[in-house]
Amino acid sequence: MSWSCLEVRERLAEFAVDALPAAEAREVERHLDWCPGCRKEAGEFQEGAARMAFALQAAPPPPALGSKVVDRVAVASGRHRPSSRRAIRVAAVAVLAAALLAAGSLTFALAMRGKVATLQQKVSQTTKDLNRFQELLQHLKANGKVFEANLVPSPGGAGGGTAAIVTAPNAADWVMVQVDVGTTSGGPYRVLLQQRSGVSILAGSLVRTANGPFVLSDEPRYFAADLSRLSSVVVLDHTGRPVLAGPVQPYTTG
Amino acid sequence: MAFGSEGPLSPETEQELMRQLTVGDEDAMRALYTRFGSPVYTMGLRLLRSSQEAEELTQDVFLAAWRKASRFDPSRGRLSTWLMAIAHNLAVDRLRHDRGPSKPPLVLMEDLPEPAPTDEEDGLLDRETARRALAGLSRSERELLALAYFQGWTAREIAEAQSVPLGTVKTRLRSALIKLRRTEADHAARAGVRDGGRP
């Protein structure tokens, strides 16, 4: 049952300074959505609260922050037109993601017996990709962050895989996933990115590639959200049951 | 329409700025950032105590402003208030998440370190008005607001820490905010009469 105006108004001061418990704040927001009288009063308290912020001695933001803000909104609105320099950078990140996935896929390729020749080819290609990426990275002095998650099966399950997460200050964050789910049934599979805050982001569905493993459809998948605070990556089957999962950690070349 | 980087915007100009934002006008976003990037970043620094977190917060705030732009209603308050409410809400979310269940030590507003001064004079009038409004509060009211606004404490946490009834904290908070708002409104009215323009 929703709150009355009286119940809401006695909480508006706390609401204005975000001093209400989350559940009560949500209840107040719901009320304000339809009640113009309480909305007006809430606005007055917020005017008072904003004075606290404006009383602070201003600190100069970093010079590049404005461009990052504009770029991030442009990406989120789907109007992102990378400059040529950024296009090169994005290309570099694409190579990185591919290389990471190739390197990660070695982990579960090792578990696949009787495929030595394939594995050797994979090692060779991976080494080339990584070298190419390192050259590009040095060239561009990229300051993005790279994370990986080695995905292992749930108890009783099979398969494995890797997720590569790339966060770049001047570009959209993105994710690539490559997994072997150990079975041909149970799909469609979905990938969930779990943030440290407890909020989860649905990265998308997996599709099977011609040579076997599953990857995200429309890979790499871009995100307006900041992906630098992920805690884990989880692959769910069609019932929502986790079949693969792994913690997100900074990528290390070692 | 040019939005400029200084001086108050009329309600019509604020509405036009947000309208342009909703249709994805990058110049509108630049104008919004030029005006409010510094106060939002400053708030991030004060609450989160990390330049990196303040940068991330600033990006999140302007992204949220873009997403919510169509909900901005100038008849309900100024753009600066609306934007700072978004900023504070996101900052407190981060603060509480990073802090977890433990409480920070009691810190008085006077003891909080000032961020480095800037050469920019934009917003100076806003700051002077705000400081004048804060000066009209008692020490205990300023401390209470500092705990809630800059430390992210809930009213219940403040009541427990200060061993006072929750109802008393709520009443004092309400009274302090009303005083802040009233001082601000009085000042704006005087400026409006003097300048013959909109407060």
Side-chain angles (χ1 to χ4, degrees), chain A residues 9 14 17-19 39 41 47-48 51 54-59 68 72 77 79 145 196-197 229, chain B residues 24 42 46 52-53 55 59-60 76 78 81 88-89 96-97 114 116 127 131 155 170 174 184:
Chain A
R9 288 187 185 200
E14 292 164 84
V17 292
D18 294 301
R39 215 157 47 213
E41 191 164 327
E47 288 277 352
R51 294 308 101 198
F54 282 109
L56 293 171
Q57 176 74 51
K68 288 181 187 175
R72 187 143 171 225
S77 64
R79 291 175 294 99
K145 294 178 198 162
R196 282 185 240 156
S197 63
R229 290 169 166 257
Chain B
T42 301
R46 173 55 62 91
Q52 188 187 337
E53 292 230 31
E55 271 199 56
Q59 292 185 49
D60 289 349
R76 288 169 47 188
R78 293 186 299 185
T81 300
H88 188 258
N89 186 258
R96 290 187 183 147
H97 174 256
E114 286 290 327
R127 191 157 64 247
R131 289 192 161 173
K170 286 170 178 266
R174 187 179 186 83
E184 162 80 3

Side-chain angles (χ1 to χ4, degrees), chain A residues 132-177:
Chain A
R132 188 177 158 210
F133 170 69
Q134 281 188 339
E135 285 169 14
L136 275 168
L137 196 65
Q138 285 166 2
H139 176 65
L140 296 167
K141 299 187 187 307
N143 55 356
K145 294 178 198 162
V146 182
F147 301 89
E148 62 179 340
N150 285 315
L151 307 176
V152 298
S154 301
T162 306
I165 300 113
V166 180
T167 69
N170 289 327
D173 292 356
W174 34 311
V175 171
M176 293 180 79
V177 177

Side-chain angles (χ1 to χ4, degrees), chain A residues 61-77 79-80 86 169-171, chain B residues 21 26 28-34 36-38 40-41 54-66:
Chain A
L65 185 54
S67 299
K68 288 181 187 175
V69 165
V70 173
D71 283 354
R72 187 143 171 225
V73 174
V75 168
S77 64
R79 291 175 294 99
H80 192 51
R86 187 173 303 137
N170 289 327
Chain B
L21 207 59
E26 283 194 11
M29 178 49 77
R30 283 196 191 89
L32 192 69
Y33 178 82
T34 300
F36 302 115
S38 177
V40 169
Y41 177 78
E55 271 199 56
E56 290 173 3
L57 175 80
T58 306
Q59 292 185 49
D60 289 349
V61 168
F62 284 93
L63 188 62
W66 167 69

Side-chain angles (χ1 to χ4, degrees), chain A:
Chain A
M1 187 176 148
S2 62
W3 282 349
S4 67
C5 290
L6 189 64
E7 288 171 306
V8 168
R9 288 187 185 200
E10 68 182 16
R11 290 173 170 86
L12 287 180
E14 292 164 84
F15 181 74
V17 292
D18 294 301
L20 273 180
E24 292 188 29
R26 279 195 297 274
E27 200 64 45
V28 171
E29 279 168 4
R30 265 197 291 273
H31 184 93
L32 296 181
D33 278 343
W34 63 266
C35 179
C38 290
R39 215 157 47 213
K40 181 173 183 297
E41 191 164 327
E44 289 172 359
F45 278 113
Q46 281 172 333
E47 288 277 352
R51 294 308 101 198
M52 296 287 287
F54 282 109
L56 293 171
Q57 176 74 51
L65 185 54
S67 299
K68 288 181 187 175
V69 165
V70 173
D71 283 354
R72 187 143 171 225
V73 174
V75 168
S77 64
R79 291 175 294 99
H80 192 51
R81 298 283 182 274
S83 63
S84 58
R85 188 173 172 183
R86 187 173 303 137
I88 294 170
R89 183 186 182 130
V90 168
V93 177
V95 174
L96 165 66
L100 287 173
L101 287 172
S105 66
L106 287 176
T107 311
F108 72 97
L110 279 167
M112 298 164 68
R113 293 171 190 166
K115 294 190 176 179
V116 177
T118 307
L119 183 58
Q120 283 173 339
Q121 287 169 1
K122 204 174 280 249
V123 167
S124 171
Q125 186 57 48
T126 299
T127 306
K128 283 181 192 169
D129 285 344
L130 284 172
N131 288 340
R132 188 177 158 210
F133 170 69
Q134 281 188 339
E135 285 169 14
L136 275 168
L137 196 65
Q138 285 166 2
H139 176 65
L140 296 167
K141 299 187 187 307
N143 55 356
K145 294 178 198 162
V146 182
F147 301 89
E148 62 179 340
N150 285 315
L151 307 176
V152 298
S154 301
T162 306
I165 300 113
V166 180
T167 69
N170 289 327
D173 292 356
W174 34 311
V175 171
M176 293 180 79
V177 177
Q178 181 172 300
V179 298
D180 172 5
V181 292
T183 172
T184 55
S185 61
Y189 295 97
R190 291 171 300 152
V191 177
L192 211 58
L193 309 175
Q194 294 185 324
Q195 295 180 305
R196 282 185 240 156
S197 63
V199 176
S200 295
I201 300 169
L202 183 62
S205 299
L206 293 175
V207 292
R208 186 187 282 276
T209 58
N211 58 349
F214 284 84
V215 297
L216 275 175
S217 57
D218 302 327
E219 194 166 74
R221 186 63 63 89
Y222 294 86
F223 293 88
D226 178 9
L227 299 185
S228 63
R229 290 169 166 257
L230 296 181
S231 59
S232 60
V233 175
V234 182
V235 176
L236 307 170
D237 68 9
H238 69 287
T239 66
R241 188 177 66 90
V243 291
L244 297 170
V248 173
Q249 43 205 351
Y251 173 71
T252 53
T253 51

Side-chain angles (χ1 to χ4, degrees), chain B residues 26 50 62 96 135 138 168 194:
Chain B
E26 283 194 11
S50 147
F62 284 93
R96 290 187 183 147
S138 69
T168 305
R194 194 173 56 241

Side-chain angles (χ1 to χ4, degrees), chain B:
Chain B
M1 179 182 281
F3 301 109
S5 61
E6 292 180 53
L9 293 174
S10 68
E12 295 75 22
T13 312
E14 288 186 344
Q15 194 163 29
E16 176 59 17
L17 175 61
M18 299 310 279
R19 190 196 65 74
Q20 292 193 16
L21 207 59
T22 57
V23 297
D25 186 332
E26 283 194 11
D27 288 339
M29 178 49 77
R30 283 196 191 89
L32 192 69
Y33 178 82
T34 300
R35 280 186 167 269
F36 302 115
S38 177
V40 169
Y41 177 78
T42 301
M43 179 196 279
L45 264 187
R46 173 55 62 91
L47 268 80
L48 304 172
R49 310 296 178 95
S50 147
S51 54
Q52 188 187 337
E53 292 230 31
E55 271 199 56
E56 290 173 3
L57 175 80
T58 306
Q59 292 185 49
D60 289 349
V61 168
F62 284 93
L63 188 62
W66 167 69
R67 287 187 169 136
K68 297 178 178 180
S70 60
R71 295 171 63 182
F72 172 70
D73 177 357
S75 69
R76 288 169 47 188
R78 293 186 299 185
L79 180 55
S80 59
T81 300
W82 181 79
L83 195 65
M84 296 316 281
I86 292 175
H88 188 258
N89 186 258
L90 290 177
V92 167
D93 277 354
R94 273 180 180 252
L95 192 63
R96 290 187 183 147
H97 174 256
D98 292 346
R99 190 177 79 196
S102 65
K103 292 176 188 170
L106 280 172
V107 178
L108 304 185
M109 192 161 71
E110 289 82 347
D111 298 334
L112 297 174
E114 286 290 327
T118 173
D119 292 335
E120 302 267 346
E121 290 305 305
D122 293 350
L124 194 63
L125 287 177
D126 260 345
R127 191 157 64 247
E128 281 310 306
T129 309
R131 289 192 161 173
R132 196 173 296 122
L134 274 175
L137 300 182
S138 69
R139 182 183 175 85
S140 63
E141 285 171 330
R142 286 202 302 273
E143 287 173 6
L144 175 65
L145 280 175
L147 283 174
Y149 197 81
F150 291 131
Q151 302 289 319
W153 285 36
T154 64
R156 188 173 299 280
E157 286 171 336
I158 296 171
E160 286 169 4
Q162 297 187 338
S163 302
V164 294
L166 177 60
T168 305
V169 172
K170 286 170 178 266
T171 305
R172 287 178 182 166
L173 201 53
R174 187 179 186 83
S175 155
L177 284 178
I178 288 172
K179 275 191 200 173
L180 271 184
R181 158 89 175 128
R182 191 173 296 149
T183 314
E184 162 80 3
D186 288 350
H187 175 78
R190 280 197 299 275
V193 169
R194 194 173 56 241
D195 302 340
R198 183 200 180 221

